[in-house]
Structures are given as structure tokens and as C-alpha cells.
Amino acid sequence: MKDVGRRLYSEIDIDIEPARLCTRILSVREQIARELSKDLKVIAKMGQQIFDSYRLNRKNRKDTKQSAGTGDKDEESTVSAFDSPSAFYLTFDPNDDDAFAPSPLRKSNFDLLYNLITLEAIVQLVEDGVVLGEDEAQNKVCSAFLEQYYKDRLNSHFIGSQWYGKADDFIEGLMLSSPLMITRNDEDSGEKEKQDEDSEATRAQTLEIEPLRIAEQILLKRDSLALDWMTIMEDVPSDHTDIRKAQLDRLTGKTSADS
């Protein structure tokens, strides 16, 4: 009666060899690296695709606005800034790729990579400064604008669990933002002694913040980063050479003294 209600089960001892686990970990990492390398090659070309699509959609927006009249803005808003090239990767069937069997999180990995590289491009521009021309004052206000625009959307676009395509949403919002005019401030120059007509004319000038050109800088930076990251991903198998050698020695029982 003591065994009533107890679940019968058997115990099986399994020997775990860390060296063999290492083999599987390295294989998975190399597979993901191959996938990311292919993705980065595609991402490096998406910047130009986005701007080509933007120019085409801009014409469509103008045509829609003229046909809808000045009173109806709903139809105009239905035309997006660009057709997201990343959306294709999120909707295609990875099993159609005969080159290799896709990893289980193929689509999520792509969107994560797309978000990370877009975020890195933005952060580098914020740190290094946006350069739109030779006017340092304009470059300074454009950099400040991008920094604030990025901070306002950090949590909603890049932090935590997000819907697919948030990186494109960030770029699209920037491209559709209206230009801003900022009054030039000459107080920082330290030249207050001369107040001739030229200085008065300079003081009256305004600085233009162009979100569209800032978005272009982000895409150019992202294209460049994609090529750099692609090289890193391609080198992953060779980076594993020393690890695999040590692993093989461990599996065969070979010690460092034997070598």
C-alpha cells in the first residue's frame, strides 16, 4: 500500500561531454553567421532602394493630393514614404532558400539585426555629428535635432520587444518630417565688437534643419556598417579554428604536452 499514488519512473544516466556540446554551439553560431552575412549583404543595398522608392512615392503623393483636392488629406496619408525592402524578408518563406536549412528564428534574427544596425548608425551619427555641408552651425543644429528625435523614440522603436519593421518606421517618420528653420545665433563666436552691415546680415540668416537629408546620412552610414559587419560574420568560421583544435585534442585525449 505504500506505493499507491506514486508514479513509477526509471532513472537514466547520461554522460555529458562539454567538448561535444561545444561542437554543436560552434555549428549553430556558424550557421547564424552565414545567415547574417547574407542579410547584411542585402541590407547594404537597401539604403539606395529606400530612396528610389521614396522618390517614386513622392510623385504618387503629389498626384494623390492633386486628385483629392485641398480638403481631403486622408487619401494623401495612405501613400507611405517608401516601400519597405525589409518587409520582403519578413514575409518570404525561408524554406525556399536551398543554400542551407534556415535557423528556427530566421525572421526574428533578421529584424533584430536590421534594428541593431540602424540603431548603431544613428548612435554613431549622434556621437560624430551630422555633416550636411560646410556650415558648422547648420551641422550642429542638425546633430542636436537628430539626438532629440532619437531620444524621443528610443523606447518606442528600439528598446524591448517591438513589432517588426520599427527601424523602417523610424526612418520613414524622419523622411516625412517637415524642415525646420532656426534663427542663427552668433553669440558663441565671441565677435561682438564689429556690428557692420555684413554681420547684421549674417545675424538675420536662419539655419535649416532638413530631416530628409539627415535620414539619408543614416542610410549611408548603415550601408557602410553593413559591409563592415558582413566581413566580421564571414570570418566567424576561421575565428573558430583554435577552439576546434583544442576541442579535437580534448576529444582524442591529446594533451598539450603531447603536441
Side-chain angles (χ1 to χ4, degrees):
M1 296 297 293
K2 294 183 179 181
D3 295 333
V4 174
R6 291 186 179 182
R7 183 177 179 181
L8 299 178
Y9 63 91
S10 59
E11 295 183 355
I12 301 177
D13 295 331
I14 300 177
D15 295 331
I16 299 177
E17 298 184 52
R20 296 191 182 277
L21 290 178
C22 179
T23 301
R24 302 180 67 177
I25 293 173
L26 293 181
S27 297
V28 171
R29 188 160 74 170
E30 289 178 6
Q31 178 185 2
I32 294 176
R34 287 196 302 269
E35 293 177 354
L36 296 184
S37 177
K38 295 179 64 176
D39 293 345
L40 288 165
K41 184 177 181 180
V42 175
I43 292 175
K45 301 177 182 178
M46 284 186 177
Q48 185 61 48
Q49 294 175 4
I50 286 176
F51 258 88
D52 290 343
S53 177
Y54 171 80
R55 296 185 184 97
L56 177 61
N57 285 10
R58 180 175 59 180
K59 180 179 181 302
N60 293 338
R61 285 195 300 272
K62 291 181 179 179
D63 295 342
T64 303
K65 183 177 180 180
Q66 292 175 358
S67 62
T70 57
D72 188 359
K73 296 182 180 180
D74 293 337
E75 292 188 30
E76 180 185 358
S77 62
T78 58
V79 182
S80 59
F82 56 86
D83 297 328
S84 173
S86 66
F88 169 77
Y89 259 64
L90 299 177
T91 56
F92 89 119
D93 185 358
N95 293 308
D96 292 340
D97 191 346
D98 297 331
F100 53 88
S103 58
L105 301 178
R106 181 76 170 92
K107 295 180 181 180
S108 298
N109 287 346
F110 173 81
D111 189 68
L112 176 60
L113 173 65
Y114 196 71
N115 271 18
L116 285 176
I117 197 170
T118 303
L119 177 62
E120 179 63 20
I122 296 169
V123 170
Q124 287 193 16
L125 278 180
V126 169
E127 293 178 349
D128 300 339
V130 177
V131 179
L132 299 183
E134 297 181 357
D135 192 333
E136 292 295 334
Q138 182 186 23
N139 294 336
K140 185 176 180 180
V141 297
C142 287
S143 298
F145 172 83
L146 175 60
E147 182 176 5
Q148 188 60 48
Y149 188 92
Y150 158 67
K151 288 180 178 179
D152 292 343
R153 291 159 180 80
L154 178 60
N155 291 329
S156 61
H157 286 69
F158 298 106
I159 299 299
S161 179
Q162 301 288 346
W163 293 102
Y164 287 152
K166 279 294 186 176
D168 282 340
D169 290 345
F170 182 93
I171 297 297
E172 181 179 37
L174 196 58
M175 296 175 77
L176 292 179
S177 298
S178 300
L180 300 176
M181 305 303 294
I182 305 296
T183 302
R184 183 186 295 271
N185 185 6
D186 290 338
E187 293 181 357
D188 296 336
S189 62
E191 299 179 358
K192 297 182 180 180
E193 298 179 357
K194 297 183 180 180
Q195 298 280 338
D196 56 11
E197 295 181 357
D198 292 336
S199 63
E200 289 295 334
T202 301
R203 190 182 300 276
Q205 290 179 358
T206 57
L207 300 171
E208 182 179 5
I209 298 177
E210 303 176 81
L212 178 61
R213 294 186 62 190
I214 296 175
E216 182 181 17
Q217 292 294 310
I218 295 175
L219 295 177
L220 290 174
K221 173 66 72 172
R222 191 177 71 182
D223 292 349
S224 177
L225 284 173
L227 295 176
D228 294 339
W229 290 14
M230 183 178 69
T231 301
I232 296 174
M233 292 297 102
E234 290 175 345
D235 291 340
V236 166
S238 60
D239 293 339
H240 291 168
T241 301
D242 293 339
I243 300 177
R244 288 194 178 280
K245 183 178 182 301
Q247 171 201 17
L248 181 61
D249 292 342
R250 176 68 179 82
L251 290 174
T252 57
K254 185 177 181 182
T255 64
S256 57
D258 297 333
S259 58

